[in-house]
Each structure stands twice: as structure tokens, then as C-alpha cells.
Amino acid sequence: MTTDYETHIKSGRRIKSDAIHGILFTAPAITGFIALTLIPMIVSLFLSFTDYSGFNMPKFTGLANYQKMFSGEDLFFYKSLKATAYYTLLSVPASIIFSFAIALLLNSDIKFRAFFRTVFYIPTIVPAVATAVIWLWILNPDFGLVNTLLMKLGLPVSSWLFDEKSVIPTIVLIGLWGTGGTMVIFLAGLQDIPKHYYEAIDVDGGNSFHKLFNITIPLMTPTIFFNAIMAIIGSFQIFTQAYIMTNGGPNDASLFFVFYLYREAFQRSNMGYASALAWILFIIIVVFSAIILKTQNKWVYYEGEKA
């Protein structure tokens, strides 16, 4: 018969063994985070206070980089913020509404449902560069497929990516092509809604609109909340479209913040200034995420929470 002391010793050894095993299993992830994320962030924070080109020794300049941004000395800083904010304002609601509508359709009882789900998801696995090149050809104002079809139908054509007023709305429309991942998340949320809620609406004589606004949307608010945060973060980090399709043009109308950061770092060799830009972007994303997290109690409904 074991004593309480022996039981305590065995329990302590088991806990210690479990802790060692846990540390060993998580060591690769922890090491990767420290080496590839934490240390680069610390280094970039230091470089943001220096004049560093990537080829010289960093020269400490204090807040000079940040003063250059906010004083108006750097004209492209506010241009890039404005372009990114405009894109975010358009793309986030558009992607949420579009992907949610597609998920609703694909969650209904339609023929070839599995086929259509695959079709709408496939664009998300196509490389972003390939997608950008394809759309650049499709939307060419001279010989592109879209303008050719519009002319044959007698409809007005557009300059699409080659006009200051239409370039960002066009990039937003192109972005809807790759919302399959968001659609899948919405689809998973829709399938998690208990069927008896809809049956209760049927018993009460309700229609599809009653089901949508009284059952589906309220129970989908946690999923909408998650997708909204991810969409906002992704919209502030848009880069490929500007890099491949527009080069920030025309007339800097699509000079998105991350593309401007890239240009400062790798084309102009202003690594110190680019590091400061990166930290400003980080702060902006954190602030917007915090605001959304703060407001979730007012519009996000969690079924298991107490009233």
C-alpha cells in the first residue's frame, strides 16, 4: 500500500514529465517564433530609430524617421495611408457580404452543390501573382476580355486599373475572386446552426427573410466578427496587386502602405525609415483590432453565454 507521501512524489514526477514532454513538442514552434518573428521585430524597432541603408552601420537618429512621416515632409506617407484606408473601406464590407451571400447559396439544397463549392474555392489556391497577371490581361482597356464584351453589348467601357478613380474599386472587385477561404468559414458556421430553429420559424409561419434576419445573421455574428478582423488585417497588408498590376499608379492612386514600405526598403535602401513605417502599420492594425474587439459585446451573439 502506497502512502500519501509516495503518491505525492509520483504525482509530482508525472507533472514534471508531462511538462518536459510539452516543452519538447512546442519547442519547434517556440523557436520559430523567437527566431523568425520576435527577434526581427526587436531589430526592426531598433532600426526604426536609425539611419540605415542595409549597407552601412546603423546611425542613431532618435525620432527623426517618425517626425519625417507625420510632419508632412514625406508626401507619400499620407498618400499611401489614404489609398490603403480607401481600399479597406471598400474591400472589407464587399468581401464579407459577397462571401456570406455565396455561402448562403452553397448551403442551400441545390444540384451539384459540391461542384460549385469546389469552383468557388479553387481561386484561393491559385498563386496571387498568377491571379494578378490574368486579371491584368482580362481588364486591359485596349484588348481585354471585359472591355471587348462590353463593346459588343453596346455598353460603356472603362480604363479599370489605368484610371485614378477606378483603380482601387477595380482591385476590390478582383479581390472578390479570392474570397473562397472566407466563404468556407461562413459555410462551416452556417452548418453549425441547429435546424430546429428554422423549423420553429416554419411553424410560426415565417419566411426566408425571417429566418435570415432572426436566426441566421444573429447566430453567425461570431463568424462575421472573426472574418471581419481577418479582412481588416489583410486589407492593410495588401501588396501583390500594387506590385504586379499597377506599380502604385496611376499617379500614386494605388500606392498602398505595404507597397510603399517595400519601395522604401528595397528600392531606395531606406531600411531604417521602412522599419518605422512597419511599426506604424503594426500600431494601426492593433488599434483597429482593439476597437472591433471592444465593440463585439454590442453586436456579437454567443449562444452559450448568459443573458
Side-chain angles (χ1 to χ4, degrees), residues 177-235:
W177 168 263
T179 56
T182 306
M183 177 208 69
V184 168
I185 296 174
F186 275 132
L187 194 57
L190 289 170
Q191 294 177 348
D192 196 44
I193 298 177
K195 300 298 182 184
H196 62 264
Y197 289 155
Y198 295 119
E199 294 171 356
I201 293 287
D202 291 330
V203 171
D204 291 338
N207 54 33
S208 298
F209 288 99
H210 294 120
K211 293 179 181 179
L212 177 63
F213 291 103
N214 294 306
I215 301 296
T216 304
I217 292 179
L219 293 182
M220 285 294 292
T221 48
T223 310
I224 296 172
F225 167 70
F226 171 78
N227 282 332
I229 286 186
M230 299 305 294
I232 289 174
I233 294 174
S235 66

Side-chain angles (χ1 to χ4, degrees), residues 1-301:
M1 181 179 296
T2 59
T3 63
D4 292 341
Y5 176 76
E6 292 173 338
T7 302
H8 179 73
I9 293 297
K10 291 181 179 179
S11 177
R13 289 175 179 173
R14 189 181 303 111
I15 293 173
K16 184 177 180 181
S17 176
D18 291 343
I20 293 173
H21 291 157
I23 292 173
L24 289 175
F25 275 110
T26 58
I30 294 174
T31 303
F33 170 76
I34 293 174
L36 301 177
T37 302
L38 184 60
I39 292 177
M41 286 181 67
I42 294 173
V43 172
S44 71
L45 180 61
F46 166 73
L47 292 178
S48 70
F49 298 103
T50 66
D51 181 10
Y52 178 60
S53 66
F55 303 100
N56 65 319
M57 290 297 295
K59 179 181 178 182
F60 185 77
T61 56
L63 296 174
N65 288 328
Y66 296 96
Q67 290 174 349
K68 179 181 177 181
M69 281 186 242
F70 296 105
S71 65
E73 180 183 349
D74 179 8
L75 300 177
F76 296 109
F77 173 70
Y78 287 107
K79 276 190 175 182
S80 63
L81 276 180
K82 182 180 178 181
T84 306
Y86 182 33
Y87 173 80
T88 300
L89 186 65
L90 293 181
S91 68
V92 172
S95 63
I96 294 295
I97 294 172
F98 179 77
S99 57
F100 185 61
I102 296 298
L104 286 173
L105 291 174
L106 297 181
N107 192 52
S108 59
D109 189 15
I110 59 174
K111 292 182 178 181
F112 309 110
R113 183 169 59 179
F115 169 76
F116 286 115
R117 288 178 179 178
T118 304
V119 167
F120 278 100
Y121 183 74
I122 282 178
T124 63
I125 63 177
V126 177
V129 173
T131 300
V133 172
I134 291 171
W135 278 104
L136 191 60
W137 173 78
I138 292 174
L139 296 175
N140 187 286
D142 297 323
F143 54 82
L145 178 62
V146 175
N147 273 1
T148 300
L149 292 175
L150 290 175
M151 285 189 292
K152 288 185 177 182
L153 294 173
L155 298 174
V157 297
S158 173
S159 297
W160 303 110
L161 295 167
F162 300 91
D163 184 82
E164 293 182 38
K165 295 180 180 180
S166 62
V167 59
I168 290 183
T170 301
I171 293 176
V172 171
L173 289 175
I174 294 173
L176 298 180
W177 168 263
T179 56
T182 306
M183 177 208 69
V184 168
I185 296 174
F186 275 132
L187 194 57
L190 289 170
Q191 294 177 348
D192 196 44
I193 298 177
K195 300 298 182 184
H196 62 264
Y197 289 155
Y198 295 119
E199 294 171 356
I201 293 287
D202 291 330
V203 171
D204 291 338
N207 54 33
S208 298
F209 288 99
H210 294 120
K211 293 179 181 179
L212 177 63
F213 291 103
N214 294 306
I215 301 296
T216 304
I217 292 179
L219 293 182
M220 285 294 292
T221 48
T223 310
I224 296 172
F225 167 70
F226 171 78
N227 282 332
I229 286 186
M230 299 305 294
I232 289 174
I233 294 174
S235 66
F236 276 110
Q237 296 177 334
I238 181 172
F239 169 78
T240 306
Q241 290 85 340
Y243 180 70
I244 300 295
M245 305 173 77
T246 67
N247 196 32
N251 195 24
D252 298 322
S254 62
L255 183 64
F256 298 122
F257 197 88
V258 174
F259 178 70
Y260 176 53
L261 189 157
Y262 162 82
R263 196 167 71 179
E264 287 293 319
F266 299 105
Q267 293 183 356
R268 298 178 177 173
S269 297
N270 293 331
M271 289 291 182
Y273 189 63
S275 296
L277 290 171
W279 274 95
I280 293 299
L281 177 63
F282 174 74
I283 292 171
I284 290 173
I285 291 175
V286 168
V287 169
F288 273 90
S289 299
I291 292 173
I292 297 177
L293 286 169
K294 190 70 174 179
T295 61
Q296 68 169 319
N297 292 333
K298 298 180 180 180
W299 63 277
V300 179
Y301 169 77

